[in-house]
């Protein structure tokens, strides 16, 4: 396995963030813009997550993506985590 693949594999939070944003936006490109990353980076993160989980998360039809059954299950689990991390700074501001 190349170093490039290992880097994506070890950042589950970033993978989940990319997955959730892509699901919310209906687009990997829009998720990448939201994360200030390139589209290929987010695609690789999502692909690594799919490999690690052994599940297809999106049905892909060109630039259009739709959640699979497994994708919907993961979104229900992951979205509260991602939203919680997003609100962490606000929780600790005086």
């Amino acid at each position: 396995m190349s170093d490039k693949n290992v880097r994506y594999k070890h950042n589950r939070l970033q993978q989940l963030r990319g997955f959730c944003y892509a699901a919310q936006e209906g687009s990997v490109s829009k998720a990448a813009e939201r994360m200030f990353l390139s589209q290929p980076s987010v695609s690789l993160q999502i692909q690594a997550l799919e490999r690690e989980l052994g599940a297809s998360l999106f049905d892909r039809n060109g630039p259009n993506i739709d959640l699979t059954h497994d994708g919907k299950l993961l979104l229900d689990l992951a979205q509260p985590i991602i939203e919680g991390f997003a609100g962490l700074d606000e929780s600790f501001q005086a």
Side-chain angles (χ1 to χ4, degrees):
M1 186 180 312
S2 74
D3 288 340
K4 186 177 184 180
N5 291 335
V6 171
R7 185 177 76 227
Y8 287 108
K9 187 173 183 177
H10 293 329
N11 194 343
R12 178 63 52 92
L13 179 62
Q14 188 76 348
Q15 291 171 342
L16 289 173
R17 184 177 289 123
F19 162 73
C20 286
Y21 288 178
Q24 291 166 356
E25 300 288 342
S27 164
V28 175
S29 295
K30 289 180 183 175
E33 287 175 19
R34 201 168 156 187
M35 298 172 72
F36 303 102
L37 295 173
S38 68
Q39 180 273 330
S41 296
V42 176
S43 289
L44 285 172
Q45 291 171 353
I46 293 170
Q47 289 169 9
L49 185 61
E50 288 178 316
R51 275 193 311 275
E52 291 169 33
L53 297 176
S56 178
L57 302 174
F58 292 107
D59 285 323
R60 295 163 175 87
N61 188 15
N64 300 321
I65 58 172
D66 294 304
L67 285 170
T68 62
H69 175 72
D70 288 336
K72 290 175 186 174
L73 291 174
L74 182 60
L75 184 62
D76 288 344
L77 293 169
Q79 195 158 354
I81 296 167
I82 298 306
E83 289 172 358
F85 269 93
L88 227 117
D89 290 342
E90 292 173 12
S91 297
F92 288 94
Q93 290 178 354

